Amino acid sequence: MHSTPATVKKIVIIGGGFAGLSVAKGLRRLHADITLIDQSNHHLFQPLLYQVATASLSPADIAAPLRHILSDCSHINVIMAEVVSIDKVLSHVVTKKGLVFPFDYLVVATGSRHSYFGKNHWESLAPGLKTLQDALTIREKILLAFEQAETASNPDLQRRLLTFVVVGGGPTGVEMAGAIAEIAKQTIKDDFKHIKPASTRILLIESSGAVLNRYPPSLREAAQKSLEALGVEVLLNKMVTDMRKGAVQLNHEWVEAHTIIWAAGNTAPSFLTTLDVPLEKSGQVIVQADLSLVDYPHICVIGDCAKALDRSNNPLPATSPVAIQQGQYVAKIIRGEPWKKGRPLFRYFDKGSMATIGRGQAVASILSFQFTGFFAWILWSLTHIFFLINFRAKVLVMLNWAWSYLRAYRGVRLIVHNTNDNDIVFDD
């Protein structure tokens, strides 16, 4: 029989994102052997990843080493490794290099990657945004488009270089499209001599009838109007049906664009299949109301890689507040806190959601209140600064945003790894 939470000795946490780190922090004072495994050596504040991709912030502003974050926890061992399988019967985790980690309690919090709905060859044509490397790749792709357009003698080629397509009208897609519009039409509008960046075309593609479709209708409309005011073309009820280098097909129409960015879906890591439990089409693990697996109460799956339901039996969104609250809940379970009626069910307290559209523009839904415009942007800014992992990042990001708001300046417009061919962009 497996150990009860009160007698847990070996705890393994897979993933150092919001969910996994929330569990680890909740176990700071627990006398146990705890191992946190992550492919990266850092915790990433993913909600601001698009700002790295659009040259507003540096990677160090939104990431911090996991070892440093947990340096005061001598009983928490941080391992940088890739997990390839989980044996729930023998209770151990196996990494790509063959390391085996036994557990009395396992928390799977791996997050997710972007999904191309079975067309994985699209990834090389339309990168997604989940890691720092993704952000740097997209940043250089955006900046290179303007550099190449500056030297392009063919007007048609120049037009394609100055066309950007963002696929997906969720928060990431909306924020990305708005940021690209700001770069082109405000930040660099006077920086080039042979092109007019303000003429840049930005298209936001959404398959449903509205952007930010999880938000209240009034905020969806406000977000779309703000995007359109920035010059973004919002195309609703459009499906990406095919893609090739320099072009994307929307239903039966081809749109030529040098830069295509994917923000349309998520998929869980493939190794979750080794749990041998029911999975969603997206690869998410279907968990019970206490976030555990059926017949395996000592194994919990949380965050973006789990399909958990709210009180109305609707799937919980893949957002950082959900991940954090789930992590805090699981930490309490592992600590073996006394419950009057046994282990309680997880209940998510929805404090609201918010998204920024551009400089001084955002939408926010907090409890029963809705805000738009500058005040919503202030709320968005303060909330994100509060949740940044360290004091240095809080100060730097706050100063950076204040300066950017006053001067419309993005100071991280650096092309470091130019792996593209500056002379040949399309095979004409």
Side-chain angles (χ1 to χ4, degrees), residues 272-293:
L272 294 178
T273 58
T274 64
L275 282 169
D276 193 26
V277 296
L279 303 177
E280 279 289 290
K281 290 182 179 179
S282 63
Q284 289 178 307
V285 176
I286 300 173
V287 297
Q288 299 188 100
D290 65 354
L291 307 179
S292 70
L293 304 185

Side-chain angles (χ1 to χ4, degrees), residues 14-87:
I14 306 176
F18 287 107
L21 191 58
S22 182
V23 175
K25 286 182 174 181
L27 302 178
R28 284 181 181 273
R29 293 179 176 83
L30 182 68
H31 182 68
D33 179 6
I34 303 173
T35 301
L36 188 150
I37 307 172
D38 196 285
Q39 283 184 260
S40 303
N41 75 334
H42 56 269
H43 168 74
L44 176 64
F45 191 80
Q46 207 168 72
L48 294 181
L49 194 56
Y50 84 96
Q51 294 218 352
V52 175
T54 53
S56 183
L57 296 176
S58 296
D61 294 335
I62 65 166
L66 285 166
R67 294 184 184 280
H68 177 71
I69 297 171
L70 300 171
S71 60
D72 61 337
C73 305
S74 59
H75 63 298
I76 300 180
N77 189 28
V78 178
I79 302 293
M80 183 177 172
E82 180 182 353
V83 173
V84 294
S85 68
I86 300 171
D87 192 319

Side-chain angles (χ1 to χ4, degrees), residues 221-236 357:
E221 295 173 10
Q224 182 170 339
K225 288 179 180 178
S226 295
L227 286 168
E228 291 171 343
L230 283 171
V232 176
E233 298 177 40
V234 180
L235 304 183
L236 303 176
I357 291 94

Side-chain angles (χ1 to χ4, degrees), residues 50-306:
Y50 84 96
Q51 294 218 352
V52 175
T54 53
S56 183
L57 296 176
S58 296
D61 294 335
I62 65 166
L66 285 166
R67 294 184 184 280
H68 177 71
I69 297 171
L70 300 171
S71 60
D72 61 337
C73 305
S74 59
H75 63 298
I76 300 180
N77 189 28
V78 178
I79 302 293
M80 183 177 172
E82 180 182 353
V83 173
V84 294
S85 68
I86 300 171
D87 192 319
K88 66 177 188 288
V89 177
L90 297 179
S91 295
H92 66 233
V93 169
V94 181
T95 71
K96 190 173 183 179
K97 292 187 177 181
L99 298 175
V100 178
F101 295 91
F103 60 80
D104 295 304
Y105 210 107
L106 172 66
V107 182
V108 183
T110 57
S112 62
R113 285 287 292 169
H114 29 268
S115 171
Y116 293 87
F117 308 108
K119 299 184 179 180
N120 294 337
H121 60 285
W122 286 359
E123 185 168 9
S124 62
L125 305 172
L129 187 60
K130 288 292 184 182
T131 68
L132 283 177
Q133 186 56 57
D134 293 338
L136 295 176
T137 297
I138 291 173
R139 184 184 77 182
E140 301 205 346
K141 193 173 180 66
I142 292 171
L143 298 177
L144 276 168
F146 292 105
E147 296 295 337
Q148 292 172 333
E150 177 76 351
T151 57
S153 57
N154 184 330
D156 186 54
L157 174 58
Q158 195 176 77
R159 175 183 55 79
R160 285 180 282 175
L161 284 163
L162 295 180
T163 300
F164 297 80
V165 170
V166 179
V167 183
T172 299
V174 165
E175 291 170 342
M176 178 64 70
I180 295 173
E182 277 196 344
I183 290 173
K185 301 175 186 297
Q186 298 177 14
T187 306
I188 64 171
K189 63 185 178 64
D190 299 321
D191 288 5
F192 292 84
K193 302 297 185 290
H194 304 291
I195 61 171
K196 294 181 179 179
S199 66
T200 296
R201 187 184 183 198
I202 301 107
L203 293 85
L204 177 62
I205 313 301
E206 170 54 39
S207 60
S208 71
V211 297
L212 301 178
N213 53 33
R214 285 183 175 271
Y215 286 58
S218 61
L219 296 187
R220 297 179 211 160
E221 295 173 10
Q224 182 170 339
K225 288 179 180 178
S226 295
L227 286 168
E228 291 171 343
L230 283 171
V232 176
E233 298 177 40
V234 180
L235 304 183
L236 303 176
N237 299 308
K238 293 287 187 179
M239 289 284 292
V240 174
T241 53
D242 202 359
M243 200 179 297
R244 63 173 185 247
K245 185 178 181 182
V248 60
Q249 187 180 41
L250 308 177
N251 298 337
H252 301 292
E253 175 190 1
W254 281 94
V255 176
E256 295 181 320
H258 171 262
T259 304
I260 306 167
I261 299 170
W262 193 264
N266 298 314
T267 185
S270 59
F271 79 83
L272 294 178
T273 58
T274 64
L275 282 169
D276 193 26
V277 296
L279 303 177
E280 279 289 290
K281 290 182 179 179
S282 63
Q284 289 178 307
V285 176
I286 300 173
V287 297
Q288 299 188 100
D290 65 354
L291 307 179
S292 70
L293 304 185
V294 176
D295 297 327
Y296 292 88
H298 63 295
I299 300 178
C300 286
V301 184
I302 61 177
D304 293 3
C305 64

Side-chain angles (χ1 to χ4, degrees), residues 372-390:
T372 62
F374 181 75
F375 183 68
W377 182 77
I378 290 293
L379 289 175
W380 177 90
S381 301
L382 292 176
T383 300
H384 284 70
I385 288 172
F386 176 79
F387 281 107
L388 282 169
I389 203 68
N390 59 55

Side-chain angles (χ1 to χ4, degrees), residues 343-355:
R343 181 187 290 193
L345 304 182
F346 172 72
R347 298 299 187 192
Y348 171 58
F349 177 58
D350 189 357
K351 300 176 183 178
S353 51
M354 52 187 69

